Amino acid sequence: MEHGVALASVEGLEGLTLGRLATDLGMSKAGVLGHFGTKEALQLATLETGAAAFRRLVWEPARDAEPGLPRLRAICEAWITYMETARDTFPGGCLFTTASVEFDARDGALRDAVARLSGLWRRRLALEARAAVAAGDLPDDTDPEQIAYELVGLYMALNQEIQLFGAPDAGDRTRRALDRLLGPRPSD
Amino acid sequence: MEHGVALASVEGLEGLTLGRLATDLGMSKAGVLGHFGTKEALQLATLETGAAAFRRLVWEPARDAEPGLPRLRAICEAWITYMETARDTFPGGCLFTTASVEFDARDGALRDAVARLSGLWRRRLALEARAAVAAGDLPDDTDPEQIAYELVGLYMALNQEIQLFGAPDAGDRTRRALDRLLGPRPSD
DNA sequence: CCTACCGATCGGTAGG
DNA sequence: CCTACCGATCGGTAGG
């Protein structure tokens, strides 16, 4: 599964072929297929394995931070670290950005799964933003959904900046945008 | 070429196969291939055709606006319209967002072409932002590259909002983010 | 988990 | 532009 996630992050979930995966793992195609039944089931399992890694790398490190703005900032910082350093797990960059544009114009279980995960994470970001408003750490007229929407865009830009342009200052660019979106960090 | 652009926006530039394109056009595979020589040449030509449509739909409508903030705002508004209404040209959404994540982890002419186009457009956005600062329409300490970076993220989020989530209020969400990034529009 | 195989499709070529 | 064909690879099955 780990190798499947790595392959899919580079080639996409459609480019994750049974033959390629089997060769890389030193197995037969039928052997790989036996574990999943169909290619679509393999793709779904790969997406779920990637999602578990994302949760571990981005959500979990922020779990102990105080709900609201502190936790939102912790999530955003872990998210930058994920983009910059998860090269062994996701050598081709964020699997969910790739999967989103790969399936956003099709029907089926893959599209539904990608939309479900992306929607879930968007709502979780909005939840923290809402708590931040309630605590008085963000202005009263802040729209939590708007914050979540802009954050997602910021991290898709970060993924492009790292993968397509190989920009070394990508993380700092994102932090500057976060300062503008969430207010400057306390340490500034 | 038009049909190739439409196909690639849905299936990706790798999913644009000679056989599929030939069938759709009522031609033979060899007939299609004869025009381009290789699949890669077809993909590059498709990308360039899409780029011409992007220039026509997004850059040209803003050409007569005053350089600086007025033109930047005109570009941003045309860009929203492009995302919302270019369904006949790009039924699968923005071809350049798709191509960027499709090739950002590979080597080759396609990756180079996508990076060249994206870089060109980023620089053009930064150019207008710089003019806006010089004219006093944006704060003196504004980083034009930062504005361009955040704009790109905003439009990748808009593409996802339309294609993956089918959100009808996606354009207005983007306009709200633009107000925060560039200041409220004069009409407000 | 394997070998052996299936029909379909891939990019591309030969020859006209 | 076509027909006819190439070897490689696709997802998947049969049978063990």
Side-chain angles (χ1 to χ4, degrees), chain A residues 130-148:
Chain A
R130 187 166 293 117
V133 174
D137 287 336
L138 285 178
D140 275 348
D141 63 348
T142 304
D143 177 358
E145 314 278 348
Q146 182 76 21
I147 297 282

Side-chain angles (χ1 to χ4, degrees), chain A residues 100-101 104 111 122 143 145-146 149-150 153 156-158 160-161 163-164 173-174 176 180-181, chain B residues 100-101 104 111 122 143 145-146 149-150 153 156-158 160-161 163-164 173-174 176-177 180-181:
Chain A
S100 175
V101 303
D104 66 5
R111 181 218 165 86
R122 278 270 295 266
D143 177 358
E145 314 278 348
Q146 182 76 21
Y149 174 77
E150 297 194 32
M156 290 198 286
L158 176 56
Q160 186 188 60
E161 198 77 348
Q163 296 297 321
L164 187 65
R173 272 219 184 287
T174 302
R176 246 170 292 159
R180 221 175 39 73
L181 189 60
Chain B
S100 175
V101 303
D104 66 7
R111 181 218 166 86
R122 277 270 294 267
D143 177 358
E145 314 279 348
Q146 181 76 21
Y149 174 77
E150 298 194 30
M156 290 198 285
L158 175 57
Q160 185 188 63
E161 198 76 348
Q163 296 296 321
L164 187 65
R173 271 218 185 289
T174 302
R176 246 171 292 161
R180 221 175 38 76
L181 189 61

